[in-house]
Amino acid sequence: MRERLNVSIQSASLILVAAGLAWVVWSNDTSMKEMLTYLIILILLIEGLSLFLIGKVYPESHTTFKTGILASLLILFGIKIMAPDLFIPLTITVFAINFMYNFYTNGKRRQGTFKRKTGGKLKTR
């Protein structure tokens, strides 16, 4: 059940990003930097919720990667201030990497090959 909810949350995040970017194209009220800032905040919340829901089900590598995505989204706020010319391309790159990874993990989950390994890591004598 949590995995299906996770897929729905990931789909909602993709729709939000597409809608936000479409809003910038057709509206003259919001700039691209402002909309990307709002989208980063929304994606941070969505990815945090997603990580909370399936953190114990998916492998540790997934948790590590998603934590890295969350950290890179937070770093983008500093890039917005310190190197504003790089903010838009780097933000779009982070979004693209995140969504490609989401599609990859959803495909692996459907195949049943994306599970946390069970077993003891320490052997006692």
Side-chain angles (χ1 to χ4, degrees):
M1 178 66 182
R2 285 182 171 194
E3 292 177 1
R4 287 186 184 173
L5 182 61
N6 182 48
V7 172
S8 299
I9 289 171
Q10 299 301 334
S11 299
S13 70
L14 181 60
I15 291 168
L16 281 172
V17 168
L21 294 177
W23 180 268
V24 168
V25 171
W26 286 301
S27 171
N28 293 328
D29 297 339
T30 309
S31 71
M32 184 69 143
K33 287 184 181 182
E34 290 174 1
M35 184 55 70
L36 287 176
T37 303
Y38 299 142
L39 289 174
I40 287 172
I41 293 168
L42 285 172
I43 298 299
L44 273 169
L45 294 172
I46 289 171
E47 290 297 328
L49 176 65
S50 170
L51 192 59
F52 174 74
L53 286 174
I54 49 96
K56 300 291 183 191
V57 178
Y58 281 21
E60 291 86 1
S61 60
H62 175 78
T63 305
T64 304
F65 185 82
K66 285 298 183 174
T67 304
I69 289 290
L70 291 173
S72 63
L73 288 170
L74 289 172
I75 290 169
L76 284 171
F77 287 123
I79 289 174
K80 180 181 176 185
I81 296 167
M82 298 172 79
D85 294 338
L86 293 176
F87 176 70
I88 293 174
L90 287 178
T91 303
I92 292 172
T93 303
V94 170
F95 283 164
I97 290 170
N98 182 38
F99 291 131
M100 286 184 352
Y101 185 74
N102 288 340
F103 289 128
Y104 167 76
T105 56
N106 287 336
K108 296 278 280 185
R109 182 195 58 84
R110 285 187 194 117
Q111 294 172 358
T113 60
F114 205 64
K115 297 285 182 188
R116 185 177 286 256
K117 294 179 182 175
T118 58
K121 292 187 178 186
L122 298 175
K123 293 182 180 180
T124 58
R125 292 185 183 194

